[in-house]
Amino acid sequence: MRTLLTRAAELAADYRASLPERPVATAATPAGFGGPLPKDPAPPSEVLEELARAAEPGLVATAGPRFFGFVIGGALPAATAADVLAAGWDQNGFNAVLSPAAAAAEETAGRWLKDLLGIPATASAGFVTGGQAANTVGLAAARHHVLAEAGWDVERDGLAGAPRVRIVASEERHATIDRALRLLGFGTSAVEPVAAGSQGAMDVAALERTLAAGSGPAIVCLQAGNVNTGACDDLRAACEAARAHRAWVHVDGAFGLWAAANPATAPLLDGVELADSWACDGHKWLNVPYDSGFVFCARPDVHAETIAYRAAYLAGAGELAGMGDLTLESSRRARGFAVWAALRELGRDGVAELVDRCCRLARRFAGKLADGGAAIANDVVLNQVLVSFGDGTDDLVRRIQDDGTCWIGGTTWRGRRYLRISVSNWSTTEADVDRSAAAILRLAGRVQ
């Protein structure tokens, strides 16, 4: 086992060392995984080498410094090493009986996260797979609470015959909100859409009008970090408007919630503490290995009552809610180790510097492309940049990806196609941005 794990670490380290210069995208189709299942067993050392050879042609350098798609970070060194240890330790992070170490890591990391993100210290913290799970759990807790306030036990009686719950959300909400509503039985037609302003942040006056136009149990979904523009809703004003109607407020802050950790961008999230639940990703701006997300709830009792379950074989497993009681998985990997390691490596100042540097690099990216004749469609307030060179956006995206210097994707915002650039990686430098911008301008025929 020692030799095998040492070799696995060598292969991983070799790959990580290649990231700064290897082509970011790959068009290869890995062929080494094919064929029928062999009849005979194979030595683990041979399997490892075969796996590495088979995977190599199909690896995309998402962890590298010039991958600017999908708000993807690249795992920090300490977090990567911690995940290697977590795999070796093979801990089931369901509760403190199964792994006191996993429980302690999650408790501390959760406390540190709340402190960094401006979330009340009394809130619960669940370590989930990502933004989809975090939004689903947060909205499940919201469903439980607003219906309980209306005298309905949704966990016991379901939604058939329940009071109608109003779902008030921005017209520019993330798609995971809609999928969570489908999974929770609300359906997407339950959404009462609220208009967004010029940069994609919710129009608070429109929110107030929407809330005033109806009555009954209500959930308001706010956003910290528009997926296209990076714009943040006015959380203080929106929360106060929701409070006036006794609505639960859920904040989808998959990447934008990290703005609270940086003094320069924290004002964008003024009032974040007034919400009832929050969703955030670790594998985005914290640069923790996949998969890693967080859901926080201002009412820990509601969080646990919504998600936890009881079984005879769990008797004596502990009375305090935590870990598996706050997430949708029972058999779950111990994600807290990598999160703890990332936060310990960076410290408070390092997290702030990481967020601030990515924002500066995004502005640099926008400036370089604008100087080359591109149109920048958004105010670059965080790490997102929308770029247009006119018609032919999708063809340009394809050529950029095929070129391999960097990787960016396309998006549609308000009826127009754009290049969408997200700067989220801890290892990205000014040189990476300049090199990528030059390649984009060259491929767009805008070389000066």
Side-chain angles (χ1 to χ4, degrees), residues 214-226:
S215 61
I219 301 169
V220 173
C221 299
L222 302 180
Q223 191 172 53
N226 181 291

Side-chain angles (χ1 to χ4, degrees), residues 330-344:
S330 297
S331 301
R332 51 191 294 274
R333 56 191 294 266
R335 297 184 181 90
F337 293 132
V339 177
W340 183 93
L343 294 172
R344 182 64 187 87

Side-chain angles (χ1 to χ4, degrees), residues 36-280:
L37 175 66
K39 176 180 180 296
D40 298 323
S45 59
E46 292 183 12
V47 173
L48 179 65
E49 299 295 338
E50 185 178 345
L51 171 62
R53 288 193 301 271
E56 172 63 28
L59 296 176
V60 177
T62 53
R66 294 186 307 283
F67 189 91
F68 303 112
F70 302 111
V71 202
I72 285 179
L76 287 157
T80 302
D83 234 26
V84 172
L85 277 178
W89 289 333
D90 194 24
Q91 299 289 281
N92 185 332
F94 177 63
N95 59 24
V97 171
L98 276 169
S99 181
E106 286 193 16
E107 191 282 325
T108 297
R111 177 164 47 83
W112 289 351
L113 288 168
K114 288 182 286 184
D115 184 34
L116 283 170
L117 300 176
I119 292 170
T122 53
S124 52
F127 286 63
V128 295
T129 54
Q132 178 67 76
N135 281 330
T136 302
V137 171
L139 291 173
R143 182 185 67 173
H144 170 102
H145 179 75
V146 299
L147 285 175
E149 290 282 287
W152 188 268
D153 187 337
V154 68
E155 279 74 37
R156 184 189 65 197
D157 299 326
L159 285 174
R164 177 182 176 275
V165 178
R166 306 176 66 199
I167 310 295
V168 181
S170 171
E171 63 184 0
E172 296 207 12
R173 63 194 177 275
H174 193 271
T176 54
I177 294 292
D178 289 68
R179 184 158 67 166
L181 296 176
R182 286 162 40 205
L183 295 172
L184 293 170
F186 288 122
T188 55
S189 66
V191 175
E192 299 178 34
V194 179
S198 63
Q199 290 296 306
M202 181 183 283
D203 183 325
V204 176
L207 170 64
E208 292 172 337
R209 290 193 298 271
T210 300
L211 288 169
S215 61
I219 301 169
V220 173
C221 299
L222 302 180
Q223 191 172 53
N226 181 291
V227 73
N228 284 311
T229 68
C232 297
D233 293 346
D234 184 338
L235 299 181
R236 182 170 298 280
C239 285
E240 290 173 351
R243 286 286 176 273
H245 293 268
R246 299 178 60 83
W248 178 288
V249 177
H250 174 73
V251 176
D252 174 12
F255 70 92
L257 210 58
W258 290 103
N262 172 32
T265 52
L268 294 171
L269 268 64
D270 175 55
V272 66
E273 74 281 358
L274 301 177
D276 297 289
S277 57
W278 304 261
C280 187

Side-chain angles (χ1 to χ4, degrees), residues 1 6 52 108 111 133 176 187 198 200 233 238 245 271 298 355 379 389 397 423:
M1 181 68 82
T6 299
T108 297
R111 177 164 47 83
T176 54
S198 63
D233 293 346
H245 293 268
V355 172
D379 297 335
F389 288 95
V397 166
V423 185

Side-chain angles (χ1 to χ4, degrees), residues 359-380 384-387 389 421 423 433-434 437-438 441 448:
C359 293
R360 292 198 313 271
L361 291 175
R363 293 192 295 270
R364 183 183 184 92
F365 220 141
K368 292 284 183 180
L369 294 177
D371 289 345
I376 308 301
N378 65 312
D379 297 335
V380 184
Q384 304 294 104
V385 186
L386 291 181
V387 183
F389 288 95
I421 296 171
V423 185
V433 168
D434 295 350
L441 292 172
Q448 294 177 316

